[in-house]
Amino acid sequence: MPQDEDISEDLSRTLCNCLALRQASRHVTQFYDQALAPSGIRTTQYSILQRVHRHGPRTVNELAEQLVMDPSTLTHNLRPLLKDGLVVLQVGTDRRTRVVALTPEGKAVHRRARALWLEAQAGFEKVFGGDEAAALRELMFKVIRSDLSSGGTPRHKP
């Protein structure tokens, strides 16, 4: 008769690539969210702040594409950042678009969160090893670039 540990391990395993990726994503997100908690933001919010910090103001559509996210999902994730005054939406060049930009408070929160993120990143790599973590990121990048509907041929680079 299997022991409890064997049963729980079997229940968490799956042959479904989608479920395995989602489970791993949730597990890693929980780890990073816990690490970022003292900054007052979550992983999804940190990703937005980091992208805008690194690449400058972006339209909602550009930012959504870079984050591999639907624009409406991005808008939903922007709401708490807007409410807390960490980002602003500026009118774009054609007045129909909105550009996401960091506020001074957003830059300060990003700076605090960045230090916590670096600690989490080091912790992840301590558990899995730097080479394994780099290989995992490369594999995930290949997944993102692939067009699964046409048999896995590369598509645009986000």
Side-chain angles (χ1 to χ4, degrees):
M1 181 157 170
Q3 294 186 356
D4 288 344
E5 297 95 318
D6 295 335
I7 292 171
S8 67
E9 180 178 76
D10 288 343
L11 291 176
S12 67
R13 290 183 175 262
T14 180
L15 293 176
C16 176
N17 297 315
C18 183
L19 179 57
L21 282 166
R22 290 177 63 93
Q23 287 173 322
S25 176
R26 284 190 290 268
H27 185 66
V28 172
T29 298
Q30 290 167 2
F31 169 73
Y32 277 82
D33 278 347
Q34 186 176 27
L36 290 172
S39 72
I41 62 171
R42 300 176 60 94
T43 304
T44 52
Q45 296 164 326
Y46 175 77
S47 298
I48 294 167
L49 295 180
Q50 173 62 19
R51 182 61 61 153
V52 176
H53 170 78
R54 187 170 202 182
H55 300 285
R58 293 282 181 256
T59 67
V60 170
N61 286 341
E62 289 170 336
L63 190 55
E65 184 175 329
Q66 291 172 354
L67 293 170
V68 191
M69 186 181 286
D70 183 81
S72 62
T73 302
L74 175 60
T75 300
H76 174 77
N77 287 316
L78 283 171
R79 284 187 189 128
L81 297 173
L82 288 161
K83 181 179 151 277
D84 293 343
L86 305 182
V87 298
V88 292
L89 284 178
Q90 302 168 334
V91 176
T93 54
D94 72 2
R95 302 182 79 39
R96 292 177 297 174
T97 60
R98 296 292 175 257
V99 175
V100 180
L102 293 180
T103 64
E105 178 64 22
K107 291 176 184 178
V109 168
H110 172 265
R111 199 170 28 259
R112 287 191 302 273
R114 177 79 177 160
L116 297 167
W117 178 86
L118 287 169
E119 289 177 25
Q121 191 78 349
F124 185 95
E125 292 192 5
K126 183 178 180 183
V127 170
F128 293 100
D131 290 343
E132 291 284 87
L136 177 62
R137 287 189 306 273
E138 185 57 33
L139 177 58
M140 293 300 103
F141 187 62
K142 286 179 183 177
V143 170
I144 292 165
R145 284 192 335 231
S146 68
D147 183 359
L148 294 173
S149 63
S150 68
T153 57
R155 65 178 183 120
H156 73 283
K157 293 181 183 181

